[in-house]
Amino acid sequence: MSSRFEEKVVVITGAAHGLGAAYALAFAREGADVVVSDISNNVESATYAMGSEEEVGSVVKQIRDMGRRCIGVKCDVSRSEEVEKMVERAIGEFGKIDILVNNAGIAFVATPFWEISEKNWNLTVDIMLKGTFLCSKYVVPHMIERKYGKIINVGSVGSRGQRHNAPYSAVKSGIQTMTLAMAKDLGEHNINVNCVSPGCVKTPMMEGACKDSSKDFGIPADEVYDFCCKTYHILGKEITTDDLANGVLFLASEEARNVNGHTLFVDGGFMAI
C-alpha cells in the first residue's frame, strides 16, 4: 500500500458513494486518514439521492479495514452551523486538516430553465456553490495557521452549459471561477486551490441523468451513457471513478506543489470538441 499521503488528514464532502467515496478510498489506500462527510436525508425530486447513513458507514468501515483512521460526519454543507461542527469534529479527532475536497453535489430532473422552480435553483446553488464556500471558509483558518493546505473543488464539463440544466451549469462554472479567486487569496499562505472537472462518469448522479435524458436522445436509458462516451470522449475510452481519483490525488500531492488555480478536466477530450 502506498504512503504518499501518510500522516495527512483529508476531509471529503459528499463521500458516501459515487465519486466522493472513490476519492475517500483512494486517499486511504495512499496512507491518509479520512473524514467521510455526507448528508443522510434525500432531497425531494433530486436525480441524485445523497448518501445514506448506511453508505457512510460502509465507506468508513472499508477505510478502517485498511488500517487507516476514519470518521463519518453527517453534514449539510449548505448550513454554516453544520459545516463549522464538521470542521471542529475533524480537528478534535485528528488535530489538523491537510486536504479538503469539496465534492458534495446534487442534480435535478432536466428542465428548460424557465420551468425550473426557485426551490430547486436555490438548492443547487446552496449545496454546491455555497457549500464549497462554507467548507473552505471554516477549514482555511486552520490551514493558514499551519501555512499548509490543499483544496480541491469539483467542477464539471457542464460548466460550458448543458441543455435543460441551467442551475447545474451556472454553479459548476462558478466553482471553477471561484477556484481562481481562492487560489489568489491563499497562495501567500502556501495553500494550493485547484479544481477537477469530470466528464461522463458512471455514478448514481450520472445514472439518474441518463434515465432522465433518454427521451431527448431517443434511446433507452441504459444506452445513453454509451452514446455520450462515443460522442463526447475523443479518446473513445470510458472514464472511471479511478481516473477522477487519480486526478484529485495528483492535485492534492506535492507533485502538484506549483499547480494553483487550475481546472483539470478528466473528460476524455469532451471540452476540446
Side-chain angles (χ1 to χ4, degrees), residues 90-210:
I91 296 293
E93 186 77 21
F94 299 115
K96 62 175 183 172
I97 297 171
D98 297 293
I99 301 159
L100 169 66
V101 182
N102 286 308
N103 173 72
I106 192 170
F108 290 92
V109 172
T111 307
F113 79 90
W114 63 90
E115 295 180 4
I116 293 165
S117 70
E118 184 177 358
K119 176 184 176 182
N120 285 1
W121 173 276
N122 288 340
L123 278 169
T124 305
V125 173
D126 285 352
I127 289 171
M128 292 194 287
L129 191 60
K130 182 182 175 184
T132 296
F133 159 70
L134 286 176
C135 291
S136 302
K137 171 183 171 65
Y138 285 103
V139 166
V140 157
H142 299 281
M143 291 180 169
I144 289 176
E145 184 179 354
R146 297 177 55 240
K147 280 286 183 179
Y148 180 86
K150 308 282 187 180
I151 298 175
I152 296 94
N153 300 325
V154 177
S156 169
V157 294
S159 61
R160 70 187 294 178
Q162 286 184 337
R163 185 170 182 260
H164 292 175
N165 214 351
Y168 186 86
S169 296
V171 163
K172 289 303 187 181
S173 179
I175 287 172
Q176 288 170 201
T177 304
M178 185 164 67
T179 296
L180 291 169
M182 291 170 63
K184 292 173 183 177
D185 283 347
L186 295 171
E188 65 185 275
H189 301 288
N190 193 37
I191 299 169
N192 299 63
V193 186
N194 290 291
C195 179
V196 64
S197 287
C200 300
V201 189
K202 193 171 287 186
T203 62
M205 182 183 286
M206 178 57 67
E207 288 173 356
C210 287

Side-chain angles (χ1 to χ4, degrees), residues 67-83:
R68 307 312 314 168
R69 295 186 296 166
C70 182
I71 58 173
V73 181
K74 178 183 176 182
C75 179
D76 179 345
V77 297
S78 71
R79 297 180 179 273
S80 59
E81 64 275 13
E82 293 195 26
V83 173

Side-chain angles (χ1 to χ4, degrees), residues 223-234 236-237 273:
E223 296 179 18
V224 173
Y225 177 76
D226 290 337
F227 175 81
C228 289
C229 289
K230 291 175 182 177
T231 304
Y232 302 119
H233 294 172
I234 293 174
K237 302 174 184 176
I273 296 175

Side-chain angles (χ1 to χ4, degrees), residues 38-44 48-53 74-76:
D38 212 305
I39 185 171
S40 62
N41 60 303
N42 295 336
V43 176
E44 184 180 359
Y48 169 46
M50 287 177 277
S52 67
E53 291 180 4
K74 178 183 176 182
C75 179
D76 179 345

Side-chain angles (χ1 to χ4, degrees), residues 4-5 18-27 29-30 152 196 198 201 239-252 264 266:
R4 182 161 47 150
F5 293 97
L19 286 174
Y23 301 153
L25 294 168
F27 272 108
R29 284 191 291 269
E30 295 271 0
I152 296 94
V196 64
V201 189
I239 300 171
T240 68
T241 55
D242 284 344
D243 291 327
L244 267 300
N246 288 336
V248 170
L249 292 175
F250 168 69
L251 293 175
L264 174 62
V266 185

